[in-house]
Amino acid sequence: RDPAVNRCPGGESFGDVQRRALLAAAPVLASQEDTACVIHGGVIATMMFHWFPGKAFDDWMLHPGTGWQVTVENGKPVSYVPAPFATV
């Protein structure tokens, strides 16, 4: 089965998760404020996969303690850099 279009019973497909994540991120992007978001790695990957096409979905998956710093202009993500975070 293709996880991009099929879902586990009671679960979400890739498309379901991506739509939900992009809708939730829209007001944050539109705010034009510096913002830090802590989000599950799979959800981050679905958004990055949408915003920056050309990579495989798995290329967007993260290791614990890492993330992406995304630059937003006029409510649209335009660039990104890896953002490792220090652990205590």
Side-chain angles (χ1 to χ4, degrees):
R1 298 178 104 189
D2 182 356
V5 294
N6 295 297
R7 62 177 64 101
C8 293
E12 295 177 289
S13 69
F14 174 89
D16 295 337
V17 172
Q18 187 177 58
R19 279 186 292 281
R20 183 169 54 86
L22 293 171
L23 283 171
V28 175
L29 297 177
S31 74
Q32 299 185 28
E33 296 180 21
D34 289 343
T35 306
C37 298
V38 179
I39 305 169
H40 187 279
V43 175
I44 293 170
T46 65
M47 293 188 295
M48 297 296 283
F49 186 74
H50 173 79
W51 292 331
F52 303 105
K55 286 187 172 186
F57 173 78
D58 289 345
D59 291 339
W60 294 114
M61 294 303 290
L62 300 165
H63 295 287
T66 65
W68 301 106
Q69 178 178 325
V70 177
T71 300
V72 177
E73 294 177 359
N74 300 315
K76 305 281 184 203
V78 295
S79 64
Y80 61 90
V81 295
F85 301 98
T87 57
V88 178

